[in-house]
Amino acid sequence: MTPLHPPAATTSRLSAFANKHRKYVLAGPATFFIACMLIIPLGFTVYLSMTGASGSVSRNADFIGLANYLEVLTSNDRFWPAVGRTFAFTAVVLAVEMLAGLGVALLLWRTFRGDSIIRVIILLPLVATPVAVGMMWMLIFHPTIGAANEILSWIGVSAQGWLSDPRQALPTLMFIDIWQWTPMVALILLAGLRSISDEPLEAAAVDGANSFQRLIHVILPTLAPTLITALLLRAIDALKTFDIIYATKGKGGGSYHEAETLNILAYSYSFDYQYYGKASAVLVLFLIIILAICAVLIIMRKGRKA
Amino acid sequence: MKLKNTMTAVAALALLLPVAACSPSAPKDGAESQTLNVALPTHAWTNAIKESIPEFEKASGIKVALTTFGEDQLSDQYNVKLNTKSKDFDVMMFRPPQDGKLFVQNGWLAPVDDYLKKADAGYKWDDFLPATVDSVTVDGSVYGAPLITEQEVLYYNKKLLAEANVKVPTTMEELEAAAAKLTDRDKGQFGFLSRGQLSASVTQFSSFLYSFGADFDNGKKATLDTPEAKKAYEFYGRMLNQYAPPGTTEMNWIQAMPIFAQGKVAFYTDVSSLSPNLDDPSTSTVVNDWGVAPFPAGPAGSHPYNISAWALGINAFSESKDAAWKFMEWATGPDMSLKLQQKGQSLARASLYSSAEGTKGFRDDMIAAIKTSTAPGVAVGHDRPLVVKVSEAREIIGKPIVTGIDGGDVAGAIEEAQTKYQQFLDEETKA
């Protein structure tokens, strides 16, 4: 006969063990989850990046050490331009989104008639799926039958290439990203603004500070942690942007790779060319870059707190 | 204290749970009815066969579970799943020219030779067009049944041609003269259009290349810089540079076809299977105005590609290979092929084009164009280089096309492409 429950002795021994190592036992499930979902895939990626894996991962691949990294880091036609584009894209969209987001948040700070409707309208780009957004802008910016050139023609401006022009593709994509993500920044900053109490603002007003001085000396310093949080979130997201670029420019980021960021490049290497080793090397390098930026931003935030 | 002890014991047990969840599930009961997983792209063929699947389920007792993806997403799915030896798909629809060699080399497709030997005589394997059988044959083994065939044809806008009193061209020279005459940029009217995007352009450029008397390679040596190939590159680039709407270097058919469908372009070369899009009044204003003609002749004659764009194959890791073959035999058999052909699909069985029943779903000019294009000695059986890493090769070959469209130094670009493509071929044959 097999007992349905473990005998009392086993239970108490188990609890004694668990009690003694409580911190490990309680942290166990989360640790296990992180190991499964994060460390193992990451470790495998690092391993792949040092092999010549191509075609199928399950085929035997030679261990080639850092050769992939060497090849990627000396690739002047694809890798370095992609690094440049990734940072240009991120810098521009971050700057505009933070400024515009702050502006929108300040406008929506004080309640007024119909503000809830405006808030909903502003949030619409955020809830649209990225591929649908990509398709929509692709039609609007179609050089021959799109609405954008139609509108330009009304005011006498000649037709532009937009996404199809190698020089305009990246700026157009920046515009789309700004259109889509400024609302999120505004939303975060608005929440931050709402938490500022009235007293310091009133005190500043009594002391004769005008609204610009209040913004610079009271609002912004109080809002700083929220600003840095929004900046961090958007920076990570913008660096990793994939969906709208893939949806509008396809694999390889255009005929001249003019919109190819690091993520798009890694996609080309892995899914299109099936050079898994090389793709993993690009991704590991990309991860190092993102970690470095996060470290800088977190140190900045800590510095402010101290 | 007692409660606390119990709780930590529960926590300790919870720690073990995920491990149990990770362990493989018990083997399936053999008695339960068989389910066959079929992966298909969102394609007109998929829509056409969907309605008939209950008939197959009833006759065979096999339950069919369909999964459909967009074309690019489907190949990504194969990539991700087959890399982990997944059994999620039994029957896979794949693109022989693009994926065939790669999938076979990766060990993802199961050979079907034995099934073909045992197949019913009524299946008529020898009815399949030879070029399409070649496309699913790798190193002497057959890896699938060809489905859709595609040829490059010349679409034209009857209204624009009639207005300018232009005849349908039959040679490249006539095509260029007509395109020049019909281009009126101020009116937003253009003479010619074809795909111009780096990678996408290569397949449509291929027929021009063959008709000028060239090819991508001869198996070992790159032949992109032969005098014939140079002329083809120059011609294709010039046509798109001078007579096409702006932005062609970013155009796959998805971007190009709507411009023709909006009546803004006189001539458009692309694949025959796109024609249903032109007949759809919700996206096309040329439903009554479009015509189609065989691919125009170059200095070496008219040599459009004729390929098997899609085929059905069996996942090498599948545990239901017999059932998968049953499905393939049914879906590509003579009866079902005729039924789908009548719904407008252009399938790979030769008999479908010689019988009135088989051509019922087609316009007269389309069937004439297909017949001319697939005649022996005319069609070429590939529309992209016959290599394993097709995507990479296409980006090398497409570079001089893009350069030509943008009016750059084509000769220099060809020289560079020739060198790079030769390196690429050397590495492929070495591996």
Side-chain angles (χ1 to χ4, degrees):
Chain A
M1 194 188 104
T2 44
L4 282 173
H5 300 286
T10 321
T11 319
S12 66
R13 230 181 302 140
L14 193 60
S15 357
F17 171 83
N19 241 340
K20 207 171 155 196
H21 306 280
R22 202 177 291 155
K23 59 182 171 185
Y24 301 110
V25 169
L26 290 178
T31 315
F32 179 81
F33 184 78
I34 290 173
C36 266
M37 305 306 285
L38 208 74
I39 295 175
I40 293 174
L42 190 62
F44 188 63
T45 307
V46 173
Y47 162 73
L48 264 186
S49 71
M50 297 185 192
T51 69
S54 81
S56 165
V57 178
S58 45
R59 270 165 58 199
N60 284 335
D62 302 333
F63 187 83
I64 53 170
L66 296 175
N68 280 326
Y69 289 93
L70 202 68
E71 196 186 331
V72 166
L73 288 171
T74 52
S75 150
N76 290 329
D77 57 337
R78 297 291 283 271
F79 180 75
W80 288 113
V83 172
R85 278 182 221 111
T86 309
F87 282 101
F89 181 88
T90 307
V92 172
V93 303
L94 267 188
V96 179
E97 280 167 19
M98 293 310 289
L99 281 176
L102 182 64
V104 173
L106 286 171
L107 285 177
L108 291 177
W109 188 10
R110 299 278 174 246
T111 48
F112 53 90
R113 260 175 76 104
D115 64 338
S116 57
I117 297 170
I118 294 201
R119 236 175 297 147
V120 169
I121 291 173
I122 284 179
L123 283 179
L124 282 181
L126 205 57
V127 293
T129 57
V131 175
V133 167
M135 296 308 277
M136 181 186 87
W137 285 107
M138 213 160 96
L139 284 175
I140 293 175
F141 285 131
H142 193 292
T144 313
I145 51 177
N149 278 342
E150 186 72 30
I151 292 166
L152 283 188
S153 73
W154 296 343
I155 52 169
V157 179
S158 64
Q160 302 295 309
W162 304 114
L163 288 164
S164 68
D165 183 327
R167 279 153 305 176
Q168 293 176 5
L170 203 59
T172 310
L173 282 164
M174 289 171 182
F175 168 81
I176 298 174
D177 191 87
I178 290 164
W179 172 84
Q180 189 170 22
W181 290 107
T182 301
M184 192 191 82
V185 177
L187 200 67
I188 297 175
L189 296 187
L190 188 60
L193 284 175
R194 289 266 155 86
S195 68
I196 297 177
S197 57
D198 288 336
E199 286 88 11
L201 285 169
E202 278 162 15
V206 169
D207 286 345
N210 62 26
S211 42
F212 180 73
Q213 286 167 324
R214 270 178 301 189
L215 176 70
I216 296 296
H217 297 294
V218 183
I219 299 175
L220 285 186
T222 332
L223 201 59
T226 323
L227 274 170
I228 293 178
T229 307
L231 192 73
L232 191 67
L233 282 173
R234 273 311 298 149
I236 296 171
D237 249 14
L239 281 169
K240 294 193 305 186
T241 306
F242 177 80
D243 32 34
I244 56 165
I245 305 179
Y246 180 74
T248 54
K249 298 294 288 180
K251 290 172 179 171
S255 286
Y256 293 92
H257 305 301
E258 65 267 18
E260 186 172 71
T261 57
L262 279 173
N263 244 354
I264 300 283
L265 177 69
Y267 181 89
S268 281
Y269 279 163
S270 57
F271 285 98
D272 213 15
Y273 299 171
Q274 305 197 323
Y275 289 133
Y276 301 114
K278 222 154 102 177
S280 304
V282 171
L283 287 172
V284 171
L285 289 171
F286 192 20
L287 180 73
I288 293 172
I289 293 171
I290 293 189
L291 283 180
I293 291 173
C294 290
V296 170
L297 281 171
I298 289 169
I299 291 168
M300 262 169 67
R301 210 178 141 170
K302 281 230 172 96
R304 283 209 68 87
K305 266 187 194 155
Chain B
M1 193 63 205
K2 180 94 192 180
L3 180 72
K4 223 174 179 179
N5 282 351
T6 323
M7 273 175 64
T8 28
V10 169
L13 283 172
L15 182 65
L16 299 172
L17 270 180
V19 183
C22 286
S23 69
S25 55
K28 273 184 196 148
D29 184 4
E32 77 183 85
S33 80
Q34 198 172 11
T35 301
L36 190 69
N37 292 300
V38 179
L40 302 176
T42 41
H43 187 283
W45 184 88
T46 307
N47 297 335
I49 199 158
K50 246 183 207 165
E51 301 161 21
S52 303
I53 283 180
E55 292 167 25
F56 171 77
E57 289 181 320
K58 219 171 144 191
S60 65
I62 299 168
K63 214 180 143 341
V64 176
L66 280 190
T67 326
T68 52
F69 298 98
E71 197 176 311
D72 282 338
Q73 284 67 38
L74 185 67
S75 48
D76 289 355
Q77 284 289 327
Y78 289 152
N79 235 315
V80 171
K81 299 227 159 148
L82 299 177
N83 257 320
T84 59
K85 302 188 179 172
S86 164
K87 303 177 182 87
D88 287 4
F89 311 123
D90 300 305
V91 178
M92 346 179 340
M93 192 155 154
F94 69 101
R95 303 170 294 182
Q98 183 78 15
D99 310 319
K101 284 196 167 197
L102 182 72
F103 283 13
V104 170
Q105 196 194 61
N106 289 348
W108 293 349
L109 283 170
V112 295
D113 303 287
D114 290 341
Y115 289 113
L116 284 174
K117 270 182 215 142
K118 284 184 277 178
D120 194 60
Y123 182 60
K124 291 190 193 148
W125 174 246
D126 52 7
D127 185 26
F128 283 95
L129 293 161
T132 64
V133 172
D134 285 352
S135 72
V136 291
T137 308
V138 180
D139 299 331
S141 283
V142 178
Y143 286 89
L147 279 182
I148 319 292
T149 60
E150 292 182 337
Q151 304 81 28
E152 185 163 0
V153 290
L154 177 70
Y155 293 101
Y156 60 90
N157 186 316
K158 288 180 188 166
K159 211 169 109 192
L160 296 182
L161 263 67
E163 274 170 15
N165 199 16
V166 169
K167 272 199 307 185
V168 179
T170 56
T171 66
M172 298 283 179
E173 280 169 1
E174 286 173 21
L175 176 66
E176 183 165 13
K181 199 170 168 189
L182 285 161
T183 302
D184 184 348
R185 287 181 188 274
D186 296 336
K187 261 170 65 185
Q189 178 184 315
F190 303 92
F192 178 76
L193 182 58
S194 190
R195 300 181 199 175
Q197 201 268 337
L198 180 65
S199 173
S201 63
V202 172
T203 50
Q204 308 315 308
F205 167 67
S206 72
S207 300
F208 287 85
L209 193 63
Y210 310 148
S211 300
F212 273 86
D215 203 335
F216 301 111
D217 56 72
N218 63 12
K220 282 203 173 92
K221 284 264 163 290
T223 54
L224 300 178
D225 65 347
T226 61
E228 293 83 8
K230 278 183 184 161
K231 277 190 194 132
Y233 268 126
E234 277 160 14
F235 182 82
Y236 195 77
R238 183 171 72 237
M239 289 293 287
L240 287 175
N241 174 283
Q242 302 198 351
Y243 315 118
T248 42
T249 52
E250 292 306 322
M251 286 186 195
N252 198 338
W253 68 268
I254 305 171
Q255 290 85 16
M257 192 268 297
I259 309 177
F260 179 78
Q262 293 300 312
K264 292 183 182 292
V265 173
F267 298 105
Y268 172 45
T269 53
D270 211 306
V271 60
S272 50
S273 60
L274 284 184
S275 62
N277 297 298
L278 302 174
D279 280 329
D280 179 357
S282 66
T283 53
S284 167
T285 63
V286 294
V287 176
N288 300 312
D289 293 330
W290 70 273
V292 62
F295 193 76
S302 166
H303 295 293
Y305 61 75
N306 172 34
I307 51 139
S308 161
W310 290 96
L312 283 185
I314 302 175
N315 178 1
F317 310 112
S318 162
E319 282 168 348
S320 321
K321 291 200 180 74
D322 291 350
W325 170 255
K326 255 191 211 163
F327 179 83
M328 273 171 65
E329 200 176 9
W330 168 80
T332 62
D335 296 343
M336 187 46 67
S337 296
L338 179 63
K339 199 170 164 183
L340 297 176
Q341 178 98 357
Q342 285 174 345
K343 287 186 187 173
Q345 296 303 306
S346 157
L347 299 175
R349 284 177 175 272
S351 59
L352 295 171
Y353 299 91
S354 50
S355 72
E357 270 188 310
T359 55
K360 219 166 73 177
F362 288 83
R363 294 159 40 125
D364 290 345
D365 55 352
M366 183 56 98
I367 203 72
I370 293 178
K371 264 189 178 165
T372 318
S373 311
T374 53
V378 171
V380 179
H382 57 279
D383 67 344
R384 58 202 89 185
L386 294 164
V387 294
V388 177
K389 293 205 165 69
V390 179
S391 293
E392 199 184 348
R394 283 174 77 159
E395 292 197 356
I396 299 172
I397 293 164
K399 197 79 201 170
I401 300 176
V402 173
T403 310
I405 296 172
D406 281 341
D409 171 22
V410 181
I414 292 175
E415 208 173 297
E416 202 188 319
Q418 166 75 12
T419 315
K420 274 195 181 169
Y421 189 46
Q422 186 59 54
Q423 280 170 0
F424 171 87
L425 286 177
D426 290 345
E427 289 213 358
E428 278 238 331
T429 41
K430 199 173 66 190

